[in-house]
Structures are given as structure tokens and as C-alpha cells.
Amino acid sequence: QVQLVESGGGLVQAGGSLRLSCSASGVTFSIVAMAWFRQAPGKEREFVSSIIRHGGRTYYADSVKGQCTISINSGTNTVSLQMISLKPEDTAVYYCAATVYGGYDFEKAEAYNYWGLGTQVTVSS
């Protein structure tokens, strides 16, 4: 009932920046929180950041604090992730996620029931 489409990924040099966006459509009024996760080849999916739709409370993984900023526009149903000072270890497929459930740990993948197909971010050294 909720569809998510990511955009903004690409190739950047170390030290560069990117802004990822995720547009939600469908029964968007039911969304409680949205998030970004990433997964590098051979590694587990990793939490990056999340935001509560109403109120705007944010969460960040320790590894990206100071490097990433998440924001949401409830009117356009769009969540963005601004990334700066990118490093090769940031290379991964970045996934947008949304949940219609409250009362969960919004840093955990299992809290989310809708996922986009991902957008590739590659950081060269």
C-alpha cells in the first residue's frame, strides 16, 4: 500500500557529498517513520538514519553522526539524506524504508514493512 522510490545515488570521490531522496506514494497517511539503510556487498544491512514523520525526531547511527542529515517533507511525502565527507567505506546500496507501525525501535530493520529497491552510492578513493 506504500511504494518507495529512491534517487540521487551515483559516483563520487572521497570527500564529496550526495543528497539522496525517497518519494513515497500510496497510503502515505499511515506512515509513522521513514529511514535509510545501506548494504555493502557481503555485509549485513546497516542502519543509517531515521525520522518520525510527525514531530521530526531523528535517529542516526554512530558511524554517520556529523556526516549525515535526514529530513522529511510530509506534504510531498519525501525523505532526504544529505551526506557529506564521503569515504570509500560509505559505498553501498542505500535503501529507503517506511513503517506504519509505532512503538518500535526505529533503528532496526525489522521495524519497517515497506522498502524501496535501493540506489547505488559508490565513493572512490
Side-chain angles (χ1 to χ4, degrees), residues 7-105:
S7 63
L11 298 169
V12 297
Q13 294 188 89
S17 63
L18 281 175
R19 184 178 179 87
L20 307 181
S21 295
C22 174
S23 295
S25 60
V27 190
T28 56
F29 70 87
S30 63
I31 294 175
V32 174
M34 297 182 71
W36 289 96
F37 289 77
R38 64 186 181 186
Q39 187 167 24
K43 296 186 177 181
E44 297 180 348
R45 187 163 297 188
E46 175 188 31
F47 170 76
V48 178
S49 183
S50 60
I51 186 167
I52 306 300
R53 184 183 183 187
H54 301 295
R57 183 177 180 182
T58 58
Y59 304 82
Y60 294 95
D62 289 341
S63 61
V64 303
K65 288 180 178 177
Q67 182 188 2
C68 298
T69 302
I70 192 170
S71 60
I72 190 168
N73 186 323
S74 295
T76 60
N77 302 307
T78 300
V79 64
S80 298
L81 184 72
Q82 179 68 49
M83 306 176 67
I84 63 172
S85 301
L86 287 166
K87 305 178 293 293
E89 48 263 49
D90 295 316
T91 295
V93 177
Y94 284 70
Y95 296 93
C96 177
T99 183
V100 300
Y101 303 115
Y104 292 87
D105 185 346

